Every structure is written in C-alpha cells, then in structure tokens.
C-alpha cells in the first residue's frame, strides 16, 4: 500500500463521518501516532498512522496545494 503524505496543519477528509457529522480533521502532530482534531466539534484524537491512512479520502495542504 502506498503511503499517504500529510503534514502538521493539513486538513484530512475521511471516508466515514465523525458522530458530529463532520468529515474533516486538522493534523496537530505527525509520526507513528497521529494527533488530529475534528473541525466540527473540536474533539481531539490520537490514532496510529497505519489506521488513519486507511481512513483518509483526501488531503488538503495547509498551503492550498
């Protein structure tokens, strides 16, 4: 499986929605464990990189690229 590249500050759009009905999360910290925050309700989550890479539909860069 190809690695999905994302950096701190990027917005991740997930395949499934969060219980608050938002599907976008902002990356707060990268590494083996990725820390993200829901852009809908502000919930803070820490998830393993391998698990989160399977959930990502689209990555929008902080710089707009």
């Amino acid at each position: 499986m190809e690695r999905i590249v994302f950096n701190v500050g990027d917005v991740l759009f997930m395949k499934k929605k969060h219980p608050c009905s938002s599907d976008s999360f902002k990356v707060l910290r990268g590494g083996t464990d990725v820390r993200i925050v829901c852009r809908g309700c502000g919930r803070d989550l820490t998830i393993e990189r391998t698990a989160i890479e399977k959930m990502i539909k689209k990555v929008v860069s902080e710089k707009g690229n």
Side-chain angles (χ1 to χ4, degrees), residues 10-38:
D10 291 352
V11 177
L12 308 177
F13 289 90
M14 303 299 192
K15 293 176 184 172
K16 286 184 155 185
K17 292 189 179 212
H18 191 247
C20 74
S21 77
S22 174
D23 66 344
S24 61
F25 293 82
K26 185 169 183 175
V27 179
L28 297 179
R29 186 184 69 206
T32 304
D33 292 327
V34 178
R35 187 171 168 209
I36 58 176
V37 64
C38 177

